[in-house]
Amino acid sequence: MADAASQVLLGSGLTILSQPLMYVKVLIQVGYEPLPPTIGRNIFGRQVCQLPGLFCYAQHIASIDGKRGLFTGLTPRLCSGVLGTVVHGKVLQHYQENDKVEELGPGNVPKEVPSSFDQVIKETTREMMARSAATLITHPFHVITLRSMVQFIGRESKYCGLCDSIVTIYREEGMIGFFAGLIPRLLGDIISLWLCNSLAYLVNTYALDSGVSTMNEMKSYSQAVTGFFASMLTYPFVLVSNLMAVNNCGLAGGCPPYSPIYTSWIDCWSMLQKEGNMSRGNSLFFRKVPFGKTYCCDLRMLI
């Protein structure tokens, strides 16, 4: 019980700290660019014409709504985080209790210990079920969070309170509105999880020497690296999910010119791929000018 409470508190703290970052990220994902490009330097130190990064974007939001405005959508996101942590923990606890019952086979004979590969499959499957259950239950709060943020673009106040937002979505879209963008989000989570655990297993089994004294540390590093790699590969699912959650919901940020009206998440994926915008919002610092966008940028300063 204490462990679950500490996880909820830690998760809530990280959610509060990361809220301005997510706010900026979501606005960039829907194509909102209120600031013109500036002359900056890329990671190689070369002068380039690039869009303002996280801090400039956050300052722009704060100049309009104040510093408190950077935490728009925090309440439903906190609800989502707390509820997701509880559901995730309950599902895993259910599997652990089943393991205790099945530890001994018929006649109190210990069951055969599964191979490391079978153990990875078993643990990954259970983690997938726990994450999927948490995502399914918390997705309505995720939709409200995104729409609360995106209404900054048109200066609307349609999704302000949590209860009012729930009533608005149900009245205008029915129950299906609470699950807009759910499929690509679920697919992204599942693919990312299996990629991460499979790559980590291959690296730990075949690339690392089991005789090294720092073996456990190396395995933890490999898990982190493969997790980052998997999240990069599955980022398009995150982008498509967020765009579908706000698409055609009555907000300026979910309609042209910021976003076309998509018929399905596959249509959204195809259009983004055609435009070359599958990584839009992935970087918050070294941001190149999006494909098809034209800005007034004094290129003479680059000479």
Side-chain angles (χ1 to χ4, degrees), residues 179-196:
F179 299 97
L182 175 63
I183 294 177
R185 188 182 178 202
L186 275 175
L187 287 175
D189 284 347
I190 291 171
I191 294 172
S192 176
L193 175 64
W194 281 97
L195 269 176
C196 173

PDB file of all heavy atoms in Angstrom, residues 179-196:
ATOM      1  N   PHE A 179     -12.918   8.564 -26.428  1.00  0.00           N
ATOM      2  CA  PHE A 179     -11.882   7.624 -26.857  1.00  0.00           C
ATOM      3  C   PHE A 179     -11.291   7.996 -28.220  1.00  0.00           C
ATOM      4  O   PHE A 179     -10.751   7.144 -28.916  1.00  0.00           O
ATOM      5  CB  PHE A 179     -12.447   6.209 -26.872  1.00  0.00           C
ATOM      6  CG  PHE A 179     -12.927   5.757 -25.517  1.00  0.00           C
ATOM      7  CD1 PHE A 179     -14.265   5.854 -25.164  1.00  0.00           C
ATOM      8  CD2 PHE A 179     -12.036   5.271 -24.580  1.00  0.00           C
ATOM      9  CE1 PHE A 179     -14.717   5.459 -23.910  1.00  0.00           C
ATOM     10  CE2 PHE A 179     -12.456   4.873 -23.327  1.00  0.00           C
ATOM     11  CZ  PHE A 179     -13.799   4.969 -22.987  1.00  0.00           C
ATOM     12  N   ALA A 180     -11.393   9.278 -28.564  1.00  0.00           N
ATOM     13  CA  ALA A 180     -10.793   9.757 -29.811  1.00  0.00           C
ATOM     14  C   ALA A 180      -9.276   9.591 -29.739  1.00  0.00           C
ATOM     15  O   ALA A 180      -8.637  10.020 -28.775  1.00  0.00           O
ATOM     16  CB  ALA A 180     -11.153  11.230 -30.031  1.00  0.00           C
ATOM     17  N   GLY A 181      -8.695   8.952 -30.748  1.00  0.00           N
ATOM     18  CA  GLY A 181      -7.248   8.753 -30.780  1.00  0.00           C
ATOM     19  C   GLY A 181      -6.751   7.590 -29.948  1.00  0.00           C
ATOM     20  O   GLY A 181      -5.538   7.430 -29.757  1.00  0.00           O
ATOM     21  N   LEU A 182      -7.656   6.749 -29.450  1.00  0.00           N
ATOM     22  CA  LEU A 182      -7.247   5.646 -28.570  1.00  0.00           C
ATOM     23  C   LEU A 182      -6.454   4.568 -29.303  1.00  0.00           C
ATOM     24  O   LEU A 182      -5.433   4.084 -28.788  1.00  0.00           O
ATOM     25  CB  LEU A 182      -8.484   5.013 -27.925  1.00  0.00           C
ATOM     26  CG  LEU A 182      -8.236   3.765 -27.067  1.00  0.00           C
ATOM     27  CD1 LEU A 182      -7.357   4.108 -25.871  1.00  0.00           C
ATOM     28  CD2 LEU A 182      -9.555   3.147 -26.607  1.00  0.00           C
ATOM     29  N   ILE A 183      -6.891   4.193 -30.510  1.00  0.00           N
ATOM     30  CA  ILE A 183      -6.256   3.070 -31.223  1.00  0.00           C
ATOM     31  C   ILE A 183      -4.777   3.321 -31.504  1.00  0.00           C
ATOM     32  O   ILE A 183      -3.927   2.484 -31.171  1.00  0.00           O
ATOM     33  CB  ILE A 183      -7.029   2.741 -32.514  1.00  0.00           C
ATOM     34  CG1 ILE A 183      -8.426   2.208 -32.169  1.00  0.00           C
ATOM     35  CG2 ILE A 183      -6.276   1.711 -33.354  1.00  0.00           C
ATOM     36  CD1 ILE A 183      -9.295   1.924 -33.363  1.00  0.00           C
ATOM     37  N   PRO A 184      -4.393   4.457 -32.120  1.00  0.00           N
ATOM     38  CA  PRO A 184      -2.955   4.668 -32.338  1.00  0.00           C
ATOM     39  C   PRO A 184      -2.158   4.776 -31.042  1.00  0.00           C
ATOM     40  O   PRO A 184      -0.987   4.379 -30.988  1.00  0.00           O
ATOM     41  CB  PRO A 184      -2.904   5.979 -33.134  1.00  0.00           C
ATOM     42  CG  PRO A 184      -4.221   6.634 -32.918  1.00  0.00           C
ATOM     43  CD  PRO A 184      -5.203   5.527 -32.731  1.00  0.00           C
ATOM     44  N   ARG A 185      -2.786   5.282 -29.984  1.00  0.00           N
ATOM     45  CA  ARG A 185      -2.083   5.367 -28.700  1.00  0.00           C
ATOM     46  C   ARG A 185      -1.801   3.979 -28.136  1.00  0.00           C
ATOM     47  O   ARG A 185      -0.691   3.704 -27.650  1.00  0.00           O
ATOM     48  CB  ARG A 185      -2.921   6.183 -27.714  1.00  0.00           C
ATOM     49  CG  ARG A 185      -2.196   6.485 -26.410  1.00  0.00           C
ATOM     50  CD  ARG A 185      -3.060   7.253 -25.443  1.00  0.00           C
ATOM     51  NE  ARG A 185      -2.362   7.493 -24.184  1.00  0.00           N
ATOM     52  CZ  ARG A 185      -2.970   7.756 -23.039  1.00  0.00           C
ATOM     53  NH1 ARG A 185      -4.293   7.830 -22.995  1.00  0.00           N
ATOM     54  NH2 ARG A 185      -2.269   7.955 -21.941  1.00  0.00           N
ATOM     55  N   LEU A 186      -2.807   3.103 -28.196  1.00  0.00           N
ATOM     56  CA  LEU A 186      -2.619   1.731 -27.727  1.00  0.00           C
ATOM     57  C   LEU A 186      -1.569   0.999 -28.557  1.00  0.00           C
ATOM     58  O   LEU A 186      -0.686   0.327 -28.014  1.00  0.00           O
ATOM     59  CB  LEU A 186      -3.940   0.968 -27.785  1.00  0.00           C
ATOM     60  CG  LEU A 186      -4.896   1.096 -26.594  1.00  0.00           C
ATOM     61  CD1 LEU A 186      -6.192   0.360 -26.886  1.00  0.00           C
ATOM     62  CD2 LEU A 186      -4.249   0.572 -25.311  1.00  0.00           C
ATOM     63  N   LEU A 187      -1.659   1.142 -29.877  1.00  0.00           N
ATOM     64  CA  LEU A 187      -0.699   0.483 -30.763  1.00  0.00           C
ATOM     65  C   LEU A 187       0.715   0.963 -30.490  1.00  0.00           C
ATOM     66  O   LEU A 187       1.661   0.170 -30.446  1.00  0.00           O
ATOM     67  CB  LEU A 187      -1.073   0.734 -32.227  1.00  0.00           C
ATOM     68  CG  LEU A 187      -2.295  -0.008 -32.769  1.00  0.00           C
ATOM     69  CD1 LEU A 187      -2.609   0.452 -34.187  1.00  0.00           C
ATOM     70  CD2 LEU A 187      -2.057  -1.515 -32.756  1.00  0.00           C
ATOM     71  N   GLY A 188       0.874   2.271 -30.313  1.00  0.00           N
ATOM     72  CA  GLY A 188       2.194   2.821 -30.033  1.00  0.00           C
ATOM     73  C   GLY A 188       2.781   2.287 -28.743  1.00  0.00           C
ATOM     74  O   GLY A 188       3.959   1.921 -28.678  1.00  0.00           O
ATOM     75  N   ASP A 189       1.950   2.225 -27.683  1.00  0.00           N
ATOM     76  CA  ASP A 189       2.413   1.703 -26.389  1.00  0.00           C
ATOM     77  C   ASP A 189       2.837   0.242 -26.498  1.00  0.00           C
ATOM     78  O   ASP A 189       3.883  -0.165 -25.966  1.00  0.00           O
ATOM     79  CB  ASP A 189       1.302   1.838 -25.346  1.00  0.00           C
ATOM     80  CG  ASP A 189       1.148   3.259 -24.843  1.00  0.00           C
ATOM     81  OD1 ASP A 189       2.042   4.075 -25.107  1.00  0.00           O
ATOM     82  OD2 ASP A 189       0.118   3.556 -24.198  1.00  0.00           O
ATOM     83  N   ILE A 190       2.024  -0.557 -27.183  1.00  0.00           N
ATOM     84  CA  ILE A 190       2.297  -1.998 -27.289  1.00  0.00           C
ATOM     85  C   ILE A 190       3.564  -2.253 -28.110  1.00  0.00           C
ATOM     86  O   ILE A 190       4.433  -3.033 -27.702  1.00  0.00           O
ATOM     87  CB  ILE A 190       1.085  -2.720 -27.916  1.00  0.00           C
ATOM     88  CG1 ILE A 190      -0.097  -2.696 -26.949  1.00  0.00           C
ATOM     89  CG2 ILE A 190       1.448  -4.163 -28.276  1.00  0.00           C
ATOM     90  CD1 ILE A 190      -1.398  -3.183 -27.548  1.00  0.00           C
ATOM     91  N   ILE A 191       3.673  -1.586 -29.254  1.00  0.00           N
ATOM     92  CA  ILE A 191       4.854  -1.774 -30.110  1.00  0.00           C
ATOM     93  C   ILE A 191       6.112  -1.306 -29.404  1.00  0.00           C
ATOM     94  O   ILE A 191       7.154  -1.968 -29.444  1.00  0.00           O
ATOM     95  CB  ILE A 191       4.666  -1.043 -31.452  1.00  0.00           C
ATOM     96  CG1 ILE A 191       3.529  -1.675 -32.255  1.00  0.00           C
ATOM     97  CG2 ILE A 191       5.959  -1.074 -32.272  1.00  0.00           C
ATOM     98  CD1 ILE A 191       3.148  -0.899 -33.498  1.00  0.00           C
ATOM     99  N   SER A 192       6.021  -0.154 -28.721  1.00  0.00           N
ATOM    100  CA  SER A 192       7.180   0.382 -27.997  1.00  0.00           C
ATOM    101  C   SER A 192       7.636  -0.578 -26.899  1.00  0.00           C
ATOM    102  O   SER A 192       8.832  -0.824 -26.721  1.00  0.00           O
ATOM    103  CB  SER A 192       6.822   1.744 -27.391  1.00  0.00           C
ATOM    104  OG  SER A 192       7.884   2.252 -26.622  1.00  0.00           O
ATOM    105  N   LEU A 193       6.671  -1.136 -26.158  1.00  0.00           N
ATOM    106  CA  LEU A 193       7.001  -2.059 -25.070  1.00  0.00           C
ATOM    107  C   LEU A 193       7.699  -3.313 -25.588  1.00  0.00           C
ATOM    108  O   LEU A 193       8.736  -3.735 -25.051  1.00  0.00           O
ATOM    109  CB  LEU A 193       5.720  -2.435 -24.317  1.00  0.00           C
ATOM    110  CG  LEU A 193       5.866  -3.485 -23.215  1.00  0.00           C
ATOM    111  CD1 LEU A 193       6.756  -2.971 -22.099  1.00  0.00           C
ATOM    112  CD2 LEU A 193       4.491  -3.868 -22.669  1.00  0.00           C
ATOM    113  N   TRP A 194       7.147  -3.923 -26.626  1.00  0.00           N
ATOM    114  CA  TRP A 194       7.740  -5.150 -27.168  1.00  0.00           C
ATOM    115  C   TRP A 194       9.095  -4.878 -27.806  1.00  0.00           C
ATOM    116  O   TRP A 194      10.025  -5.701 -27.679  1.00  0.00           O
ATOM    117  CB  TRP A 194       6.793  -5.798 -28.168  1.00  0.00           C
ATOM    118  CG  TRP A 194       5.701  -6.572 -27.503  1.00  0.00           C
ATOM    119  CD1 TRP A 194       4.438  -6.156 -27.241  1.00  0.00           C
ATOM    120  CD2 TRP A 194       5.796  -7.903 -26.972  1.00  0.00           C
ATOM    121  NE1 TRP A 194       3.731  -7.136 -26.587  1.00  0.00           N
ATOM    122  CE2 TRP A 194       4.530  -8.223 -26.410  1.00  0.00           C
ATOM    123  CE3 TRP A 194       6.811  -8.857 -26.918  1.00  0.00           C
ATOM    124  CZ2 TRP A 194       4.259  -9.448 -25.807  1.00  0.00           C
ATOM    125  CZ3 TRP A 194       6.543 -10.084 -26.321  1.00  0.00           C
ATOM    126  CH2 TRP A 194       5.294 -10.364 -25.777  1.00  0.00           C
ATOM    127  N   LEU A 195       9.236  -3.753 -28.484  1.00  0.00           N
ATOM    128  CA  LEU A 195      10.534  -3.392 -29.070  1.00  0.00           C
ATOM    129  C   LEU A 195      11.584  -3.215 -27.975  1.00  0.00           C
ATOM    130  O   LEU A 195      12.701  -3.745 -28.068  1.00  0.00           O
ATOM    131  CB  LEU A 195      10.411  -2.097 -29.875  1.00  0.00           C
ATOM    132  CG  LEU A 195      10.070  -2.192 -31.351  1.00  0.00           C
ATOM    133  CD1 LEU A 195       9.909  -0.798 -31.942  1.00  0.00           C
ATOM    134  CD2 LEU A 195      11.142  -2.965 -32.114  1.00  0.00           C
ATOM    135  N   CYS A 196      11.205  -2.468 -26.947  1.00  0.00           N
ATOM    136  CA  CYS A 196      12.133  -2.175 -25.852  1.00  0.00           C
ATOM    137  C   CYS A 196      12.605  -3.452 -25.159  1.00  0.00           C
ATOM    138  O   CYS A 196      13.806  -3.682 -25.008  1.00  0.00           O
ATOM    139  CB  CYS A 196      11.467  -1.232 -24.854  1.00  0.00           C
ATOM    140  SG  CYS A 196      12.418  -0.940 -23.348  1.00  0.00           S
TER     141      CYS A 196
END
